[in-house]
Amino acid sequence: MCGVLICSACGAPSLRYKYEVNELAAQGKFERAANLVESKHKHMYGKRDTLLYELDRASLLHDAGQYPQSDTLLADAQQRITDSYTKSISASASRVLVNDLATPYYAADYETALTFFYRAMNFLRQNDVDSAGVEARKAVFFLDHLRGDKKKGYTDDPFVQYMASLIFESTGDLSDARIARQNALNAYKKRGWAVPQFSVPAHAENYGEVILVHSVGQVPLKKSQTVQLAWNHILAVANSPVENEYTVSPEVQNAISAGLMGSAITVAYPVLETQPYYITSSTVQIAGQRYPMQPMSYVSELVTQDLEEKLPGMWFRVATRAVLRRIAAVQARHALERDQGKDNSLGWLAEMVVDIFGAAVEKADTRQWFTLPASIYMARVFIEPGVQDIQLLLKDRNGNIIGTHTFENIQVPRGGRVFLHYRSAY
């Protein structure tokens, strides 16, 4: 039981640290934000959460235009995600006994899918379409298996599928492109998101196509919330195993039968805090002509859905740990009473110390890939081939233009495509 209490002291990147990184991103200082993440590697992440560190830093490096450096981190992150699947079963069971933070970070499914998008965009920005095609193939393979393994919740990613279809078209894999496009349309309808409608002109081969992706805002941040619950509520949770994940431990059943419970306990759990941002949409302008951007993904919604899916399991583990700690406290008192006699106050002191320490080290798991955007937009524009300045007009919630970004001297090939990506975090 001491091991349970000690392991529970593990931490996670603090909310204040996330604010600092997000503030730099909001100012467009993505490289400085990435450097801050690097400087906090050991303090905020440590060896246990190397995957999370790589994800947080990789997206910032991508937004800073440091594509090779970003890809190096993402390649390693993907390998860690693959390796983690072989360990997840035993780790999942151990989390019942220890704090969730004592186990390595396991990427959410939507986070895994977005690693393929970021790697593909890294390659596309370096004109390496073939390597982007590899990432697109890995993405659809992952999502195909996800649809087969899960019946509800996040079972597919319409945006990642749509991006894969575009990349397949660019690599000449038209059959795979059609399948990915259909999967994307099905996923949009299933999620209830608007299906993007892009028009392709007749004789498109005579034009050049600009595909501009605009990542907007910042995802909600996980933070710890504490609440005091009556023991009868804790016991009800601990006695109701999560479907297909956990079973009630004998210790819990014994504790209930023995009536060892006190009156109440303070527990911690994660909640989401929405981050403010002002640029919520945009319009593309080329040679004086304006083209609308269309919403492709609401990442904030995926963050919310993922937390909602995981909360029952989190509550079960919190409740079970609370019961086990209470058992440890009572056992500590009984042990001293046997040695020192029931009238000795050391027994009650030992019980109180174990209770206090257990409450102090129980922390909510607030880990997440927090440097992601809140939503993603896209425009597909067919224009005369040649060198073009492509301007992004940034809009607030009322449709007012409050900023611009210009991609200068972009070579748009006849019958080909150029992929661009811009991140606004303010």
Side-chain angles (χ1 to χ4, degrees), residues 215-255:
S215 296
V216 173
Q218 300 171 337
V219 291
L221 297 181
K222 287 183 181 179
K223 67 177 184 178
S224 181
Q225 181 77 42
T226 59
V227 63
Q228 190 173 62
L229 296 177
W231 266 110
N232 60 344
H233 181 81
I234 286 289
L235 290 175
V237 175
N239 203 30
S240 302
V242 179
E243 183 180 0
N244 299 324
E245 188 173 4
Y246 305 108
T247 57
V248 180
S249 65
E251 291 90 344
V252 173
Q253 295 287 5
N254 292 338

Side-chain angles (χ1 to χ4, degrees), residues 109-348:
D109 290 331
Y110 75 88
E111 293 175 338
T112 299
L114 285 172
T115 66
F116 303 116
F117 161 69
Y118 274 101
R119 289 201 73 189
M121 285 303 302
N122 281 336
F123 289 125
L124 290 169
R125 295 299 290 130
Q126 298 175 85
N127 298 316
D128 187 352
V129 179
D130 290 336
S131 294
V134 172
E135 291 305 308
R137 196 164 304 281
K138 288 160 58 178
V140 297
F141 180 81
F142 168 74
L143 293 171
D144 285 347
H145 277 265
L146 195 64
R147 288 197 306 276
D149 293 341
K150 294 180 65 178
K151 303 302 180 185
K152 58 183 179 179
Y154 179 89
T155 59
D156 207 342
D157 195 298
F159 167 65
V160 174
Q161 289 276 15
Y162 196 95
M163 280 295 300
S165 73
L166 294 174
I167 295 170
F168 286 144
E169 288 176 351
S170 296
T171 59
D173 299 315
L174 300 184
S175 178
D176 291 334
R178 285 192 294 270
I179 295 172
R181 186 70 56 82
Q182 187 59 55
N183 286 337
L185 298 179
N186 293 341
Y188 274 113
K189 293 176 182 177
K190 183 176 180 179
R191 293 204 67 87
W193 292 353
V195 177
Q197 303 290 336
F198 297 108
S199 59
V200 179
H203 305 292
E205 66 276 7
N206 295 329
Y207 298 90
E209 184 180 3
V210 175
I211 297 176
L212 201 162
V213 179
H214 181 196
S215 296
V216 173
Q218 300 171 337
V219 291
L221 297 181
K222 287 183 181 179
K223 67 177 184 178
S224 181
Q225 181 77 42
T226 59
V227 63
Q228 190 173 62
L229 296 177
W231 266 110
N232 60 344
H233 181 81
I234 286 289
L235 290 175
V237 175
N239 203 30
S240 302
V242 179
E243 183 180 0
N244 299 324
E245 188 173 4
Y246 305 108
T247 57
V248 180
S249 65
E251 291 90 344
V252 173
Q253 295 287 5
N254 292 338
I256 296 172
S257 301
L260 296 174
M261 303 305 112
S263 59
I265 188 172
T266 300
V267 297
Y269 63 98
V271 295
L272 293 176
E273 179 181 88
T274 301
Q275 299 305 292
Y277 55 94
Y278 302 100
I279 295 174
T280 60
S281 63
S282 56
T283 296
V284 181
Q285 181 169 282
I286 305 175
Q289 184 72 29
R290 293 185 178 183
Y291 307 89
M293 301 284 286
Q294 297 192 40
M296 301 295 292
S297 180
Y298 299 98
V299 184
S300 291
E301 182 178 312
L302 303 181
V303 175
T304 301
Q305 181 185 43
D306 180 70
L307 181 58
E308 290 174 349
E309 288 182 15
K310 291 177 178 176
L311 271 178
M314 290 181 182
W315 272 110
F316 177 84
R317 294 190 296 272
V318 166
T320 301
R321 286 195 296 269
V323 172
L324 294 179
R325 284 170 182 152
R326 185 64 186 139
I327 294 172
V330 173
Q331 288 176 339
R333 173 168 59 86
H334 287 170
L336 279 175
E337 287 177 347
R338 285 194 299 270
D339 294 339
Q340 305 294 330
K342 288 189 176 182
D343 294 334
N344 193 297
S345 61
L346 289 178
W348 291 104

Side-chain angles (χ1 to χ4, degrees), residues 198 212-217 277-285 290-295 375-381 390-405 407 420-424 426:
F198 297 108
L212 201 162
V213 179
H214 181 196
S215 296
V216 173
Y277 55 94
Y278 302 100
I279 295 174
T280 60
S281 63
S282 56
T283 296
V284 181
Q285 181 169 282
R290 293 185 178 183
Y291 307 89
M293 301 284 286
Q294 297 192 40
S375 56
I376 301 174
Y377 289 75
M378 178 188 288
R380 296 182 59 187
V381 182
I390 300 170
Q391 192 173 45
L392 193 60
L393 308 179
L394 309 172
K395 298 181 178 181
D396 64 13
R397 298 183 185 277
N398 297 318
N400 301 312
I401 298 174
I402 59 174
T404 62
H405 177 79
F407 299 89
L420 303 174
H421 183 212
Y422 179 72
R423 169 77 188 279
S424 62
Y426 63 94

Side-chain angles (χ1 to χ4, degrees), residues 350-424:
E351 179 180 358
M352 181 178 67
V353 168
V354 174
D355 276 339
I356 292 174
F357 184 72
V361 298
E362 179 63 45
K363 298 179 180 179
D365 188 350
T366 57
R367 293 173 295 180
Q368 65 178 128
W369 186 358
F370 80 93
T371 57
L372 290 172
S375 56
I376 301 174
Y377 289 75
M378 178 188 288
R380 296 182 59 187
V381 182
F382 292 84
I383 58 175
E384 292 295 327
V387 177
Q388 301 278 2
D389 286 345
I390 300 170
Q391 192 173 45
L392 193 60
L393 308 179
L394 309 172
K395 298 181 178 181
D396 64 13
R397 298 183 185 277
N398 297 318
N400 301 312
I401 298 174
I402 59 174
T404 62
H405 177 79
T406 302
F407 299 89
E408 296 181 341
N409 301 319
I410 300 299
Q411 180 66 49
V412 182
R414 182 181 297 274
R417 284 175 168 154
V418 58
F419 289 82
L420 303 174
H421 183 212
Y422 179 72
R423 169 77 188 279
S424 62

